[in-house]
Amino acid sequence: MSDCIFCKIVAGEIPSKKIYEDDDIICFHDIHPAASVHVLVVPKKHFSSLNELDDPELAGKLFLVVPKIAKMLGVDGAYRTVVNTGKGAGQSVAHIHLHILGGPRIGMPE
Ligand code: DGP
């Protein structure tokens, strides 16, 4: 989608700190990290949210890549995976993405 910020990151039109990419998926650091490790797993194909995702194979790939990326980042022993769906739930970018958060939370006492 032409006005989608994550589509622009996928297309290389907006820079990102990319840590993983394959034919279907890109993963990059969140610009506003909420933990010492905070990355976003994003399908290259545009789906506005989990409500629109209708590709079971891609859904499987999105989940199965998470532990691989967590291991790459050294947080596979303990991490959270979050998918916000809808503005009321905090979804600010209308392109489905999974958050991976690991390590100490930023701004929160341990
Ligand atoms: P959500 O609130 O679940 O829609 O998460 C969207 C996340 O995307 C939010 O944590 C901030 C991040 N984000 C927004 N714009 C950009 C950007 O241009 N680059 C990067 N790397 N992250 C972004």
Side-chain angles (χ1 to χ4, degrees), residues 6-19:
F6 286 176
C7 285
K8 288 182 179 172
I9 287 175
V10 167
E13 295 167 10
I14 292 178
S16 68
K17 289 188 186 170
K18 194 168 31 176
I19 53 164

Side-chain angles (χ1 to χ4, degrees), residues 37-75:
V37 170
H38 186 174
V39 299
L40 303 172
V41 180
V42 178
K44 292 183 172 178
K45 187 174 176 189
H46 182 93
F47 295 94
S48 299
S49 79
L50 184 57
N51 289 341
E52 284 73 36
L53 181 62
D54 62 358
D55 181 337
E57 191 177 344
L58 180 59
K61 286 180 179 174
L62 280 169
F63 259 87
L64 292 176
V65 80
V66 167
K68 292 181 188 166
I69 292 169
K71 190 164 190 179
M72 281 170 58
L73 296 170
V75 296

Side-chain angles (χ1 to χ4, degrees), residues 5-6 9 14-16 28-32 38 40 84 90-93 97 99:
I5 205 160
F6 286 176
I9 287 175
I14 292 178
S16 68
F28 51 86
H29 288 276
D30 194 295
I31 205 167
H32 299 307
H38 186 174
L40 303 172
N84 295 322
Q91 184 180 5
S92 60
V93 177
H97 51 281
H99 296 253

